[in-house]
Amino acid sequence: MANERLLERLPALIQDYLAEVEQQAAKRGPTDGLLGFGDALRNDACHDRFADGLQALIEQMTTAPISHTQAAFALRCLCEAPLQCPDNTPQTACARWMLEAAQSLALPLVPLLQPADAAQLFQWYRSVYPRSRQLPAEKKLAKALHQQAGK
């Protein structure tokens, strides 16, 4: 039961982060951050708060520990989050980059997966995050999933 509450907190954490990015973007003027003047959205503390909250949540998930199906759900949820952020506005592009980079924080969940779960997740991951456009964090996660699938 406590493990299920941990899983419920992940989508809520992501949604709270996206809402905060929107709030912070609304407070800024159209030229904030240009040429180094003003405060750019990419430098806002909301990104650090999200990363810290995500890291703490993943630590709780690994020490609980959650089941292999719950680990697969959490990884899929975190990996699907950037796909919901189109790159057509500065705030959504900024949030998408952060959500993609934050995937490396989920690496401790990979050893909790069964090889079959890891293989399935790896195949899906490679289809939505082609190797040619993966960020370093995404490459690390893809490699970890591939290795876990081979066990």
Side-chain angles (χ1 to χ4, degrees):
M1 190 63 111
N3 293 351
E4 290 174 12
R5 283 193 218 114
L6 288 174
L7 290 176
E8 291 169 3
R9 287 178 43 205
L10 182 57
L13 179 70
I14 293 168
Q15 290 306 315
D16 291 348
Y17 166 66
L18 294 173
E20 188 171 5
V21 169
E22 289 289 334
Q23 284 180 328
Q24 296 304 322
K27 292 179 184 177
R28 288 175 167 66
T31 59
D32 281 356
L34 284 177
L35 302 173
F37 297 105
D39 194 16
L41 180 61
R42 70 181 175 273
N43 298 329
D44 194 88
C46 68
H47 308 297
D48 292 330
R49 284 191 295 275
F50 169 70
D52 292 344
L54 180 61
Q55 187 169 16
L57 182 58
I58 289 173
E59 285 175 10
Q60 290 173 346
M61 288 180 180
T62 57
T63 58
I66 59 176
S67 71
H68 67 92
T69 55
Q70 291 170 324
F73 171 82
L75 281 162
R76 181 93 183 225
C77 181
L78 187 59
C79 294
E80 285 177 345
L83 304 174
Q84 309 305 316
C85 296
D87 285 334
N88 59 355
T89 66
Q91 60 268 28
T92 55
C94 185
R96 182 181 176 126
W97 282 100
M98 180 61 191
L99 288 168
E100 287 184 8
Q103 290 177 14
S104 66
L105 298 175
L107 287 171
L109 295 176
V110 174
L112 300 177
L113 297 173
Q114 295 289 327
D117 294 331
Q120 184 180 24
L121 194 54
F122 175 72
Q123 291 302 321
W124 171 82
Y125 194 80
R126 290 289 296 270
S127 71
V128 296
Y129 294 102
R131 190 175 189 176
S132 61
R133 74 161 216 91
Q134 287 179 358
L135 297 173
E138 294 165 331
K139 288 180 182 179
K140 287 180 187 176
L141 183 57
K143 182 179 179 180
L145 288 170
H146 183 67
Q147 288 175 339
Q148 185 69 15
K151 285 188 175 181

